[in-house]
Amino acid sequence: MSLDTAEPTLETLGWVGNAIDGHVRLIDQTRLPTEFVRIDCRDVSSVWEAIRSLRVRGAPAIGIAAAFGAVLGGQKAGTGDLDSLRRGLLDASAYLRTSRPTAVNLFWALDRIERTIEENRGLDGPTLLERVLTEARAIADEDKVMCRSIGRFGAELVGTGQGILTHCNAGGLATADYGTALAVIFSAHSAGKAVHVFADETRPLLQGARLTAWELQRRGVPVTLICDNMAAQVMKEGKVQMVIVGADRIAANGDTANKIGTYGVALLAKAHGIPFYVAAPSSTFDLSLPDGSSIPIEQRDPREITQGFGRQTAPEGISVYNPAFDVTPAQLIDAIVTERGLIRPVDAKTIRKTLGPPRSS
Ligand code: MRU
């Protein structure tokens, strides 16, 4: 498939065909920016592998992929015997929960799938499978709507001609479409605000360089790529007027887990008097956690640091620490942009007021 930079929207992932013999199709993000390739996942383990290896990544997109993945588990069990169908769906859900630990959207989406299975006990097999697929599709469709809404609310924070720094990729590729932090930027750009983005390359897996720079460029948003360790200098030179990033899990008090390096960027923003914003849908909040100290942080393969992208860049046998996320304390966050509006100040009371009572799962 060729690289089509004129296409305004991204179908990051979706379901092809019907419930009985359809499958998941997703952009293989490990191949970007040089190759734009969609792959088909026809069983649960290939969806699990796609999530684990970051072929599909970004909190909302992971949840959507897992929801569709559960349908594949039901397919394999078959619709003839209701008990084995239910077991197939639930086993797939349990397995997909083990793919990555930090983004709560994964667990939120699978909770919805499991609730759907529970609430439709009276249905026959084919209708139940169809109903689960409908729920997975709803999760994807709702995400698209939430992203657009985040874009609209967040654009109010952006002034004309501003420099905006972002970290990792919270764009269309990380969601069903359009993104969270990048939705704010796309929306401000479309409104003619003449923004200029500084994209941190985002070590070790370069989501900023490979994905954010690519997404902004294809939409015609002016963007300059910097190495992560250049952010302080770029801020000191007065080139950045706001920072906006996505989130993988936000605790009840607003502490926010996002890609490793985000915490450092928040500290730099504070030191330079630059507002620091997070953009995330309500599905990224985990109100069962009082603060960020209990957010599970994924530890990834050391080879991502020592042999990233096929070349050895550290001595054989070196000890490596590779946490994929860090937690930015709420006090460093000036506002959280959600599909329901801005959370400002970022504290437990304002979060509850904006999101409503806690979900029961
Ligand atoms: O490891 P990744 O690429 O899945 O990490 C993604 C991020 O940290 C994103 O910023 C986050 O998921 C928000 S996506 C809208």
Side-chain angles (χ1 to χ4, degrees):
M1 227 172 284
S2 69
L3 197 65
D4 178 6
T5 49
E7 184 194 336
T9 58
L10 282 169
E11 270 303 321
T12 307
L13 75 169
W15 183 267
V16 181
N18 61 36
I20 300 293
D21 59 8
H23 60 272
V24 185
R25 178 167 289 169
L26 51 89
I27 298 171
D28 183 349
Q29 299 185 32
T30 63
R31 315 263 296 258
L32 285 168
T34 51
E35 295 171 280
F36 186 90
V37 176
R38 286 194 167 89
I39 56 166
D40 291 334
C41 299
R42 296 178 187 276
D43 54 36
V44 182
S45 55
S46 59
V47 174
W48 188 96
E49 191 279 336
I51 295 172
R52 174 62 73 102
S53 64
L54 275 53
R55 295 183 202 287
V56 59
R57 32 70 47 210
I62 292 171
I64 297 162
F68 284 133
V71 182
L72 294 172
Q75 267 182 7
K76 177 142 190 254
T79 53
D81 178 72
L82 200 51
D83 281 343
S84 39
L85 171 61
R86 284 171 49 81
R87 185 59 23 233
L89 288 164
L90 292 170
D91 284 353
S93 178
Y95 178 53
L96 289 161
R97 283 173 189 272
T98 66
S99 56
R100 293 188 78 188
T102 303
V104 77
N105 308 61
L106 174 76
F107 307 97
W108 170 86
L110 291 170
D111 284 349
R112 276 181 65 163
I113 293 297
E114 289 179 17
R115 261 200 307 273
T116 302
I117 299 163
E118 195 49 44
E119 285 166 8
N120 289 282
R121 279 184 165 272
L123 297 179
D124 61 73
T127 316
L128 174 61
L129 192 61
E130 185 62 49
R131 182 68 199 80
V132 174
L133 176 58
T134 302
E135 185 68 10
R137 284 201 163 113
I139 290 169
D141 291 344
E142 288 166 25
D143 188 64
K144 290 183 186 173
V145 175
M146 289 194 287
C147 287
R148 295 282 163 173
S149 181
I150 287 170
R152 277 193 299 277
F153 282 119
E156 292 167 23
L157 298 168
V158 183
T160 301
Q162 284 193 335
I164 306 176
L165 188 136
T166 190
H167 190 74
C168 195
N169 173 269
L173 290 166
T175 60
D177 180 43
Y178 208 57
T180 58
L182 291 198
V184 172
I185 292 170
F186 294 147
S187 189
H189 173 76
S190 302
K193 290 195 173 177
V195 294
H196 188 106
V197 180
F198 290 89
D200 276 354
E201 67 175 354
T202 315
R203 282 278 292 154
L205 294 178
L206 305 183
Q207 288 92 332
R210 294 187 301 104
L211 310 176
T212 296
W214 179 79
E215 276 198 51
L216 290 165
Q217 200 179 52
R218 72 192 281 279
R219 278 183 176 269
V221 181
V223 53
T224 300
L225 178 64
I226 57 171
C227 299
D228 299 343
N229 54 2
M230 297 171 187
Q233 180 62 20
V234 172
M235 288 181 184
K236 194 173 168 193
E237 289 173 12
K239 293 185 164 79
V240 176
Q241 283 70 48
M242 70 178 261
V243 175
I244 189 156
V245 297
D248 284 84
R249 193 185 293 230
I250 304 174
N253 72 340
D255 290 352
T256 295
N258 191 49
K259 178 53 54 193
I260 190 74
T262 302
Y263 174 38
V265 174
L267 289 168
L268 291 178
K270 176 63 93 191
H272 290 87
I274 297 167
F276 180 93
Y277 302 119
V278 169
S282 49
S283 53
T284 302
F285 287 76
D286 183 352
L287 302 185
S288 73
L289 302 182
D291 60 48
S293 62
S294 45
I295 296 177
I297 300 294
E298 178 181 13
Q299 302 295 325
R300 291 189 63 89
D301 192 328
R303 284 172 299 185
E304 290 178 349
I305 292 179
T306 58
Q307 291 162 50
F309 306 99
R311 180 167 183 270
Q312 182 150 345
T313 53
E316 200 61 52
I318 192 76
S319 161
V320 169
Y321 180 47
N322 187 17
F325 300 94
D326 58 26
V327 176
T328 300
Q331 306 86 273
L332 294 178
I333 304 170
D334 290 280
I336 302 177
V337 188
T338 76
E339 81 279 10
R340 300 185 194 167
L342 297 187
I343 295 174
R344 182 162 58 182
V346 178
D347 57 28
K349 194 167 146 234
T350 317
I351 289 173
R352 278 245 191 273
K353 206 170 115 207
T354 311
L355 299 186
R359 288 189 304 266
S360 56
S361 59

